[in-house]
Amino acid sequence: MIPRPVLLRAQSEFLDYNSTGLSLMELSHRSAPYEQLNNRAQDQLRTLLNIPANYKIIFMQGGGHTQFAAVVYNLLAWRHHKNGHQGAWKDIPVDYIVSGAWSAKAVEEAKRLGANVRVVCDAKKALGGYKGIPAEETWLTSDPAGPLRSHDDAAGRQPAYLYYCDNETVNGVEFPYVPSMHNKEVPIVCDMSSNILSRPVDVSKFGVIYAGAQKNIGPAGVSVVIVRDDLLHTSEEENGLLPVPLMLDYKTMVKNNSLYNTPPMFAIYISSLVFDWLLDAKAQKIQDGEAYFVGEKVGVEAAAARNERKAAKLYKALEESKIYRVVVEDKAARSKMNVPFRISATHKDDPNGVADKKRDEQIEAEFVAQAEAQGLLQLAGHRSVGGIRASIYNAMTEEGVDVLVKFLQDFEKKY
């Protein structure tokens, strides 16, 4: 989602960017106006997330799927370098926490590339579905004396990284903490595509953070990568590791200030406007609305406070209902960005009730159709899981959530 004030500003600047007499889409990416925009966007994001000086910010083409591969290439190159280019790169482990559909897809891509993938936590196996996050103590990487880490120590090797997805959009699972029980010499790689800028984050705890823009940053087509500078090691064929494709090479992108080739200029421009909007106290007060304003905040802090209120209202309405069922059982791991739920005519408080799946799916279809008729759009769940999903990203107002809650209550009266 993109805030309406950002869209209006982009509209007003579309034919004449920064008094150049040209649309931004007509400017060269080597021009001074675009170079200034590129640098400003990096500075804005560094301010918003309080990114330390030893981290680099990259704007890359493609989305999360592209980063599934980029992470494998870049971090294996770094670990192979740390190992003095000794040993086979395919012996270097890469560890994954699977908490939902997107981390599962990341595992699939790493395996396709020939990486030595180890799933150290699988929520689906542990919990019978993507219903929460298994206790960190149960992960294979958490016990220093456990078989996995003992084996690594005996073999004189360490994983290239520990990977997880901070917020699973399909399943509605969000990490309420940063993993901390793994070997600290192993950098954490985190996919924050769907919840970046929604809450404060301590960037120093991560090796790599990446995020596709299309949820809280800007339009699809650009990804933000935040990488600790000591991890920037490319590879060449003579080093015993397949070369990192240059378009995926973090070191190449940093060296060229994200201008190795023509970047997705318009997507980066919109992202900069979103950053500007978040940093503007007046804009944040307007986003809150007079009826909801509780005190001046800017940046991620303003978004986080608003997101807490929005999610609390929506989950409360679902919990108090007799027909709506929140999919994620672990309340601590319920996403504040994506709220999936199912509808059943069999009331939750009926001990003898038997659900009729076909009928319930018909009710869900009616729910979506009636919601659309009232201007509440894109509430159908992901095609892989069905049901209903309310996405309440930064740009969604608290008033918008109140409208949805009212619709939920009115729809339930029919059942």
Side-chain angles (χ1 to χ4, degrees):
M1 295 183 69
I2 297 175
R4 183 171 177 80
V6 169
L7 295 174
L8 291 172
R9 181 176 171 185
Q11 181 186 50
S12 70
E13 297 177 355
F14 191 74
L15 295 178
D16 184 7
Y17 172 71
N18 202 24
S19 301
T20 61
L22 296 171
S23 171
L24 176 82
M25 299 202 301
E26 299 175 289
L27 288 172
S28 166
H29 68 289
R30 304 293 182 191
S31 66
Y34 181 73
E35 185 176 1
Q36 291 166 4
L37 167 62
N38 184 50
N39 292 335
R40 182 171 69 251
Q42 293 179 43
D43 291 342
Q44 291 168 318
L45 185 59
R46 193 174 295 277
T47 298
L48 281 165
L49 292 178
N50 195 25
I51 299 173
N54 64 320
Y55 284 75
K56 305 300 183 185
I57 299 171
I58 315 170
F59 297 120
M60 296 181 68
Q61 292 181 348
H65 280 85
T66 304
Q67 291 305 314
F68 292 165
V71 162
V72 175
Y73 281 119
N74 284 275
L75 274 295
L76 279 177
W78 166 76
R79 180 58 79 182
H80 196 52
H81 170 81
K82 289 279 286 185
N83 292 344
H85 306 132
Q86 300 300 310
W89 69 268
K90 288 194 173 185
D91 290 336
I92 301 172
V94 292
D95 292 344
Y96 282 76
I97 300 158
V98 178
S99 56
W102 292 110
S103 47
K105 286 179 179 290
V107 165
E108 292 174 7
E109 181 70 346
K111 287 180 177 178
R112 282 189 67 254
L113 296 174
N116 179 15
V117 175
R118 304 189 305 195
V119 176
V120 300
C121 171
D122 188 328
K124 191 172 186 178
K125 289 182 179 179
L127 305 175
Y130 296 130
K131 305 173 183 178
I133 300 168
E136 189 173 4
E137 293 82 1
T138 66
W139 303 357
L140 298 179
T141 47
S142 295
D143 185 359
L148 192 76
R149 287 175 63 173
S150 295
H151 180 70
D152 286 345
D153 291 340
R157 68 181 186 187
Q158 297 296 340
Y161 55 86
L162 175 66
Y163 179 105
Y164 76 103
C165 178
D166 207 28
N167 183 68
E168 294 278 4
T169 59
V170 173
N171 310 99
V173 175
E174 184 173 27
F175 271 77
Y177 59 85
V178 178
S180 62
M181 298 180 70
H182 64 293
N183 185 335
K184 298 305 184 292
E185 294 182 10
V186 178
I188 295 177
V189 174
C190 187
D191 174 0
M192 292 190 186
S193 292
S194 54
N195 69 346
I196 194 167
L197 299 177
S198 71
R199 60 183 183 180
V201 57
D202 184 351
V203 174
S204 68
K205 292 182 178 180
F206 299 86
V208 177
I209 294 171
Y210 73 80
Q214 65 274 14
K215 302 297 191 297
N216 275 335
I217 296 178
V222 64
S223 289
V224 170
V225 180
I226 303 166
V227 55
R228 206 173 66 215
D229 56 15
D230 65 295
L231 301 178
L232 295 169
H233 286 280
T234 190
S235 64
E236 301 298 340
E237 200 161 3
E238 62 266 22
N239 292 338
L241 181 65
L242 290 175
V244 180
L246 288 174
M247 285 297 294
L248 300 181
D249 186 1
Y250 294 160
K251 188 172 183 179
T252 295
M253 290 298 164
V254 167
K255 182 180 178 181
N256 290 275
N257 196 29
S258 300
L259 297 172
Y260 175 73
N261 72 321
T262 305
M265 295 168 58
F266 190 75
I268 293 169
Y269 159 67
I270 295 292
S271 300
S272 178
L273 295 187
V274 171
F275 300 156
D276 201 32
W277 172 79
L278 277 168
L279 290 166
D280 185 337
K282 183 178 179 181
Q284 293 309 296
K285 184 174 181 179
I286 292 172
Q287 181 74 0
D288 279 338
E290 291 295 334
Y292 306 92
F293 182 67
V294 294
E296 287 197 7
K297 287 186 172 76
V298 296
V300 174
E301 288 72 19
R306 193 159 48 241
N307 291 332
E308 287 279 355
R309 299 195 302 270
K310 292 187 300 184
K313 285 183 176 183
L314 184 51
Y315 281 116
K316 183 175 184 290
L318 294 171
E319 288 285 358
E320 292 178 347
S321 159
K322 293 182 179 181
I323 68 169
Y324 304 122
R325 290 163 169 77
V326 179
V327 171
V328 178
E329 297 173 357
D330 180 357
K331 291 185 178 181
R334 286 178 175 174
S335 171
K336 293 180 176 62
M337 297 287 98
N338 310 98
V339 183
F341 58 96
R342 303 304 301 244
I343 306 176
S344 177
T346 304
H347 289 189
K348 288 186 285 191
D349 58 2
D350 183 356
N352 300 314
V354 178
D356 182 334
K357 183 179 178 181
K358 185 175 181 180
R359 182 189 179 201
D360 290 346
E361 288 177 347
Q362 290 174 340
I363 294 172
E364 289 175 341
E366 291 172 11
F367 178 95
V368 172
Q370 291 181 29
E372 288 181 351
Q374 295 192 31
L376 296 167
L377 308 178
Q378 302 185 101
L379 283 168
H382 191 272
R383 62 185 181 278
S384 64
V385 294
I388 311 297
R389 178 179 57 171
S391 292
I392 49 176
Y393 298 116
N394 280 357
M396 172 58 65
T397 63
E398 193 167 350
E399 181 183 10
V401 172
D402 284 345
V403 171
L404 174 58
V405 168
K406 177 66 164 53
F407 176 78
L408 288 168
Q409 295 166 343
D410 289 344
F411 185 84
E412 182 171 3
K413 291 175 183 177
K414 304 172 185 177
Y415 299 94

